[in-house]
């Protein structure tokens, strides 16, 4: 190619936007996973549990997360109310495809740390509508992806993608037989999803109600997770991130079972 044609080609590329659908479903999910989430983060969160009668229980947590090479480590502590105060949850989220994540839950009333086996990660996390498996990332290689269509959510263009676990082991680990996710085309944030639970004929709906850009990083600051059977709402969890600070200098000793049991 003659060099004089390059500026013309560049100009044409600027005039003609890259067609979003050129990406495959797998490539979109990879970009969603690779999205910048900071090297470390400290957050204060509010978790509101709402039963089928509308009764609410409120919990406040502080969480810490850092990248450790290709892996991610996170720990959170419940601050209030008194019946869950000092409960802690530690996760080592490994990048290796065949390696299951490690998770530990410290229960102060029993002064006992329980290791959450992979076979138990489909269980509810602290009575919420999140499974233990929802508390860490999914290995993309364990799923097949299908781009269903391009549509809009709340006036924003999204890709609608179905993900299906490749093995029964992954279904048993997560508790989901399949999911449909909605990924924003402008920033690759998953803002809505529906998950089919293996047990009980239930569906679980995730909806990002508030999305903010903090330090140039997109952060879902209010998430609703609702468990339904048919049209009936069985339970709902509202998770709010009230304070988010990225790229904090965190002591590596925070991310240990010893610190989990010691508390903040």
């Amino acid at each position: 190619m003659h060099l004089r044609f390059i500026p013309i080609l560049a100009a044409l590329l600027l005039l003609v936007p890259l067609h979003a659908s050129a990406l495959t479903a797998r490539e979109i999910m990879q970009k969603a996973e690779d999205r910048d989430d900071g090297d470390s983060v400290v957050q204060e969160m509010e978790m509101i549990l709402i039963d089928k009668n509308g009764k609410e229980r409120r919990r406040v947590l502080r969480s810490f997360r850092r990248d450790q090479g290709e892996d991610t480590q996170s720990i959170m502590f419940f601050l209030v109310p008194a019946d869950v105060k000092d409960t802690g949850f530690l996760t080592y989220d490994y990048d290796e495809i065949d390696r299951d994540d490690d998770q530990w839950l410290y229960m102060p009333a029993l002064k006992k740390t329980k290791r959450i086996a992979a076979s138990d990660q489909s269980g509810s996390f602290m009575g919420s509508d999140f499974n233990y498996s929802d508390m860490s990332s999914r290995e993309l290689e364990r799923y097949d992806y299908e781009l269903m269509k391009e549509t809009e959510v709340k006036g924003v263009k999204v890709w609608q993608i179905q993900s299906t676990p490749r093995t029964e082991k992954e279904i048993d680990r997560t508790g989901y037989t399949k999911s449909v996710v909605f990924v924003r085309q402008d920033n690759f944030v998953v803002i809505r999803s529906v998950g089919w639970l293996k047990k009980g004929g239930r569906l679980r709906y995730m909806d990002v109600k508030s999305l903010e850009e903090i330090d140039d990083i997109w952060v879902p600051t209010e998430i609703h997770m609702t468990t339904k059977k048919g049209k009936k709402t069985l339970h709902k969890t509202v998770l709010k991130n009230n304070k988010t600070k990225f790229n904090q200098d965190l002591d590596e000793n925070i991310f240990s079972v010893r610190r989990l049991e010691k508390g903040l």
Side-chain angles (χ1 to χ4, degrees):
M1 179 180 291
H2 295 292
L3 291 177
R4 65 175 179 274
F5 292 148
I6 292 177
I8 299 173
L9 178 59
L12 288 173
L13 288 173
L14 287 173
L15 289 171
V16 181
L18 294 173
H19 198 276
S21 294
L23 294 172
T24 66
R26 177 65 171 77
E27 290 169 338
I28 294 166
M29 297 306 296
Q30 186 68 59
K31 286 183 176 292
E33 181 177 276
D34 293 343
R35 190 172 55 80
D36 185 14
D37 60 356
D39 295 331
S40 64
V41 63
V42 178
Q43 293 179 307
E44 287 197 11
M45 299 188 291
E46 182 180 11
M47 176 186 284
I48 304 170
L49 309 178
I50 307 171
D51 69 16
K52 60 183 179 183
N53 298 315
K55 183 179 179 181
E56 296 186 2
R57 289 181 292 161
R58 178 176 173 271
R59 296 167 174 180
V60 178
L61 310 85
R62 185 172 298 155
S63 73
F64 306 82
R65 176 182 58 77
R66 70 164 187 165
D67 291 341
Q68 177 68 4
E70 297 298 322
D71 303 329
T72 302
Q73 299 175 342
S74 63
I75 191 167
M76 61 174 61
F77 300 94
F78 285 77
L79 306 180
V80 293
D83 63 335
V84 295
K85 187 177 185 299
D86 295 329
T87 299
F89 182 62
L90 173 66
T91 297
Y92 289 174
D93 189 344
Y94 301 113
D95 185 62
E96 294 176 52
I97 297 171
D98 297 326
R99 187 176 184 182
D100 290 326
D101 300 336
D102 285 323
Q103 295 181 324
W104 297 268
L105 179 69
Y106 175 66
M107 298 167 285
L110 302 176
K111 298 186 183 304
K112 181 180 179 181
T113 297
K114 177 184 178 184
R115 186 175 183 278
I116 309 298
S119 58
D120 294 331
Q121 291 180 1
S122 62
S124 168
F125 172 67
M126 294 294 291
S128 74
D129 294 85
F130 295 88
N131 290 349
Y132 287 101
S133 66
D134 294 323
M135 308 305 289
S136 59
S137 62
R138 304 277 170 82
E139 295 294 342
L140 297 183
E141 299 298 333
R142 297 181 182 181
Y143 293 81
D144 290 318
Y145 299 98
E146 177 188 355
L147 179 56
M148 301 173 72
K149 62 180 180 180
E150 296 181 40
T151 182
E152 291 188 356
V153 172
K154 301 172 187 174
V156 178
K157 288 186 176 180
V158 298
W159 292 286
Q160 182 177 332
I161 295 172
Q162 178 173 299
S163 69
T164 307
R166 290 180 172 174
T167 65
E168 282 296 323
K169 179 183 176 183
E170 184 66 2
I171 292 174
D172 291 339
R173 188 187 72 81
T174 63
Y176 297 99
T177 59
K178 69 175 181 179
S179 299
V180 172
V181 300
F182 299 80
V183 185
R184 275 180 58 151
Q185 295 189 2
D186 57 347
N187 56 19
F188 293 95
V189 176
V190 176
I191 58 169
R192 180 174 289 177
S193 71
V194 184
W196 279 254
L197 289 163
K198 181 179 180 180
K199 296 180 180 178
R202 296 165 297 157
L203 294 174
R204 189 159 283 165
Y205 297 84
M206 188 280 291
D207 194 14
V208 174
K209 295 292 187 181
S210 175
L211 183 67
E212 297 180 29
E213 194 170 18
I214 302 173
D215 296 337
D216 298 323
I217 297 173
W218 287 102
V219 181
T221 52
E222 182 172 336
I223 300 171
H224 291 199
M225 185 77 99
T226 306
T227 304
K228 290 188 173 185
K229 187 168 186 177
K231 295 182 179 180
K232 184 179 180 181
T233 296
L234 303 178
H235 199 268
K236 182 176 182 178
T237 300
V238 176
L239 192 62
K240 298 180 180 179
N241 294 324
N242 297 322
K243 297 177 183 176
T244 299
K245 296 180 179 179
F246 285 107
N247 300 323
Q248 302 294 296
D249 186 16
L250 301 177
D251 189 331
E252 64 178 309
N253 293 321
I254 292 177
F255 303 94
S256 65
V257 173
R258 183 177 181 182
R259 185 57 184 266
L260 183 73
E261 296 172 344
K262 183 180 179 181
L264 282 175

